[in-house]
Amino acid sequence: MTDPPESAQPPEPVEPPEPSTPSTPPPPPAHPRSRLRPYLPASAGIAIGLIALLLVLTIGRPTSTAPTPQPLANDQTLSFPIAQDVSDFDPAQISSAADVDILRNVFSGLYRFDQQLREIPDLATGQPTVSSDGLTYTFHLRIDGRFSNGDPITAADFVYSWNRAVARQGDYAGLFSLIAGYQDVASGRSAQMSGLTKTDDFTFSVALSKRAGYFLTLVGLWPFWVVDQRVISSAGEDAWSTKPDTLVGSGPFRMTARTPGQTMDFEPVTGWYGVKTGTLTHVHVEVMADAAAQVTQYEAGVFSLIGYGRQALPPEAATRYTSDPKLRSQLALVPFGTTFWVGFNLKSGPFAGVEDGRAGRHAFSLAIDRKALVAAVCNQRTTCVEATGGVISKGLQGYLGDGADHNLKFDPAAAKSEFQAWDPNGAKVKGLTYTYDANAFNKAVCDNLAAQWKKNLGVTVACVEKDRKTFFEQRSGACAYPMFRQSWAADYDHPQDWFDYLFLSGASSSGSCYANPSLDKIVAGADSAGPGASVADYRVAGYLLVNDSVFGGLLYGVQQYLVHPYVAGAGGNALYDNYWSAVRILKH
């Protein structure tokens, strides 16, 4: 979180992490098939049938193509490091993506996200029943759901857990703000949201204050995980999640030991309601701040992998593994769900006005050679790549597709011609600045951009560095900078997470003060559409941003996974590591 959210509003997702300067370039923060067939006369069908029979009799039945199962190691222990200890084990208080990646194996909710980020039922029996006005969702629970201690999970547990999360007012409590009565609980006036009602032991309904198709995505997130009221009442509101014996969840694994600041150990839950917990018998997590030491321990066979918990490799190690043909297969690079771009002020300054400033914004974007930028700051493409498919990152819903953003075509001649037509004597951009929050990566990006703009446009742009707090206050709160560093790290896989916070009129994290009634109308309609019915509208909105040259796309983040060849099933997607239950240790 950059700043605590207002209690009545969903939270602003975390800005991408920005590590300290290494010796090499600084890394960024971390159609269905047709049912029709050609018509064949009956005689042809008979002939084909006889030929098929003759082939079977002649060459026999086809053999199975199923792969031979790979033998497993006797020791099914997964071990990996994290740079910082988990800051909070309570789902109501979790605010770190790294903590979510670990604890999604310990807790669960109505739904979970698979390796392709598809939302699938977990403790829910299926999709909810949604009322005709789109305001009431009725969820049905499986009757065999149990916590890791054997306590049954009922609708009352979800009602308790959600009301508790709102009352606790963690960083992401605002995700519940769509539910009627949220503000009463958030302010302490009530202990129960009026929109949350238990129907029977395995059914409850949720009444929303407004239509929101993205609500179904939200209920799969960590603040909506279920917790055990009996355990919390007995162990204490603030103590239950601090000890392995009382850290009771409903996921496939449970914590067995912990030394704060040093290690955590987990094992599968016996009799878990989801049946299959995988082949692992033990998961060992070690807190190790020294990234180079992590790699040393990995290469010594102490760690199975590096990358779980949103870890990043030291640039030197990433370069070595991506460059050495003998090592390259151990390094997997996947989209990270983060985008970096040049922000333009559309309220004041040289780029102001959707129409008046469009040519200037377009020229400055065309003048950037993204390949040169990637070569300078992305450590051989192991930490970031060119952002060519719109503002929403690759791997997420709303991504427009490779090369979809025409503003990113590097054409210095066209850029200079357009710029000179827009600002013939250079008066508009005299004294132009690019502002960023103090960080080695941000500085490297600005230095590269300034050099390119000088070379390709003949414009001098000064890099201005601000402390992080001042930067966000002046950028997001006052749209104070003519041109600035902007980025976004998705918290969940829904375009609403990007448009509502960044591009609607008055968006809290904009920095550009962009206001376009057409986009507002499209996004409002998409936000209120039924679950899964709005992706096309968000894509229209995404292209509108491109056509208005609202932003100058730069980079998409990359997540690294360094995995031994004998560790199968490890990896991740744009938001999450693969579940531990998917990982197997092969014989080696």
Side-chain angles (χ1 to χ4, degrees):
M1 295 291 295
T2 56
D3 296 300
E6 296 181 11
S7 60
Q9 297 297 325
E12 175 178 335
V14 181
E15 285 281 339
E18 316 232 359
S20 57
T21 311
S23 58
T24 52
H31 290 287
R33 294 180 180 177
S34 172
R35 295 177 180 271
L36 303 178
R37 60 175 181 168
Y39 169 74
L40 290 175
S43 57
I46 294 172
I48 291 174
L50 291 173
I51 293 172
L53 177 60
L54 180 60
L55 288 173
V56 169
L57 293 174
T58 303
I59 62 177
R61 296 181 180 273
T63 57
S64 172
T65 58
T68 303
Q70 296 171 292
L72 300 177
N74 292 327
D75 183 3
Q76 288 294 304
T77 297
L78 173 69
S79 60
F80 60 88
I82 55 176
Q84 294 181 319
D85 199 0
V86 171
S87 57
D88 207 310
F89 292 85
D90 184 342
Q93 303 289 352
I94 296 170
S95 61
S96 161
D99 296 354
V100 171
D101 267 324
I102 291 175
L103 294 175
R104 69 197 292 257
N105 296 280
V106 176
F107 293 93
S108 66
L110 293 172
Y111 303 94
R112 61 186 177 89
F113 301 95
D114 67 11
Q115 293 180 16
Q116 287 74 47
L117 285 176
R118 294 172 300 202
E119 189 171 17
I120 59 178
D122 196 334
L123 282 162
T125 58
Q127 296 300 301
T129 301
V130 183
S131 61
S132 58
D133 62 5
L135 293 176
T136 302
Y137 288 65
T138 300
F139 298 97
H140 302 275
L141 306 180
R142 55 190 300 163
I143 62 175
D144 59 346
R146 293 186 176 276
F147 290 104
S148 59
N149 64 355
D151 288 349
I153 298 173
T154 67
D157 292 299
F158 275 94
V159 172
Y160 164 78
S161 299
W162 292 13
N163 280 315
R164 175 183 177 274
V166 173
R168 298 284 286 180
Q169 279 297 288
D171 286 342
Y172 286 83
L175 293 174
F176 291 92
S177 65
L178 291 167
I179 302 176
Y182 165 84
Q183 192 57 49
D184 290 337
V185 177
S187 64
R189 294 193 299 266
S190 174
Q192 167 73 45
M193 286 184 284
S194 59
L196 195 55
T197 307
K198 170 188 168 183
T199 304
D200 58 42
D201 283 349
F202 299 102
T203 309
F204 71 99
S205 63
V206 182
L208 305 184
S209 56
K210 66 177 183 179
R211 290 172 59 96
Y214 57 92
F215 176 68
L216 190 57
T217 298
L218 300 185
V219 299
L221 302 178
W222 62 95
F224 296 82
W225 290 341
V226 66
V227 294
D228 193 333
Q229 181 177 7
R230 189 181 69 82
V231 169
I232 295 175
S233 298
S234 175
E237 187 68 60
D238 296 317
W240 74 276
S241 62
T242 64
K243 302 175 183 178
D245 290 346
T246 53
L247 183 68
V248 173
S250 54
F253 285 80
R254 66 181 186 90
M255 181 183 285
T256 57
R258 179 185 181 222
T259 302
Q262 297 182 36
T263 61
M264 292 176 285
D265 291 275
F266 303 83
E267 68 179 25
V269 172
T270 302
W272 181 55
Y273 66 84
V275 182
K276 295 182 179 180
T277 58
T279 67
L280 297 180
T281 57
H282 178 209
V283 176
H284 176 74
V285 182
E286 191 160 332
V287 181
M288 184 174 291
D290 188 333
Q294 291 184 9
V295 175
T296 299
Q297 294 288 70
Y298 168 83
E299 293 177 340
V302 174
F303 294 137
S304 312
L305 58 82
I306 299 174
Y308 271 24
R310 306 285 102 171
Q311 300 304 294
L313 293 172
E316 297 84 356
T319 299
R320 177 161 56 89
Y321 273 87
T322 198
S323 302
D324 189 332
K326 295 181 179 179
L327 300 176
R328 190 177 301 149
S329 63
Q330 297 181 48
L331 180 62
L333 303 172
V334 302
F336 187 50
T338 301
T339 305
F340 300 84
W341 65 93
V342 175
F344 297 103
N345 190 330
L346 277 80
K347 181 180 181 181
S348 62
F351 303 109
V354 173
E355 294 299 333
D356 291 344
R358 186 200 307 268
R361 299 189 300 270
H362 187 250
F364 269 74
S365 187
L366 284 185
I368 301 171
D369 183 350
R370 271 79 179 176
K371 291 183 179 179
L373 177 64
V374 166
V377 304
C378 292
N379 197 50
Q380 295 192 26
R381 307 178 68 84
T382 63
T383 58
C384 45
V385 295
E386 302 93 324
T388 68
V391 70
I392 297 180
S393 304
K394 190 169 186 174
L396 299 176
Q397 292 186 66
Y399 177 67
L400 299 180
D402 296 353
D405 188 345
H406 56 73
N407 298 304
L408 273 60
K409 179 184 178 182
F410 177 51
D411 190 335
K416 190 164 187 177
S417 176
E418 185 173 30
F419 167 73
Q420 290 176 337
W422 173 72
D423 188 11
N425 58 11
K428 292 181 179 180
V429 297
K430 185 177 180 180
L432 183 62
T433 59
Y434 177 99
T435 307
Y436 61 91
D437 49 313
N439 169 267
F441 174 75
N442 293 338
K443 182 180 186 303
V445 170
C446 188
D447 288 345
N448 185 274
L449 295 178
Q452 293 203 48
W453 286 325
K454 181 65 174 178
K455 175 183 177 182
N456 300 324
L457 296 179
V459 176
T460 299
V461 177
C463 292
V464 176
E465 186 172 275
K466 299 282 186 179
D467 67 85
R468 191 169 177 84
K469 182 175 184 297
T470 299
F471 174 77
F472 285 114
E473 288 177 349
Q474 295 183 349
R475 184 201 71 180
S476 300
C479 297
Y481 309 129
M483 194 161 59
F484 53 90
R485 193 269 316 167
Q486 178 62 294
S487 63
W488 196 251
D491 279 308
Y492 46 94
D493 187 21
H494 199 288
Q496 176 270 341
D497 182 38
W498 299 73
F499 286 100
D500 284 18
Y501 294 111
L502 292 163
F503 300 110
L504 288 184
S505 298
S508 59
S509 299
S510 169
S512 67
C513 283
Y514 173 64
N516 186 331
S518 296
L519 182 130
D520 291 349
K521 183 178 180 179
I522 293 169
V523 172
D527 283 357
S528 62
S534 58
V535 174
D537 287 337
Y538 286 118
R539 287 178 60 84
V540 171
Y543 277 110
L544 188 57
L545 294 177
V546 170
N547 293 335
D548 282 347
S549 299
V550 174
F551 66 99
L554 295 177
L555 306 166
Y556 293 141
V558 170
Q559 174 64 42
Q560 309 153 341
Y561 290 102
L562 188 60
V563 185
H564 283 297
Y566 54 81
V567 180
N573 53 45
L575 292 181
Y576 306 113
D577 300 331
N578 292 351
Y579 282 103
W580 299 345
S581 55
V583 180
R584 311 182 312 280
I585 310 299
L586 306 179
K587 189 174 182 179
H588 57 281

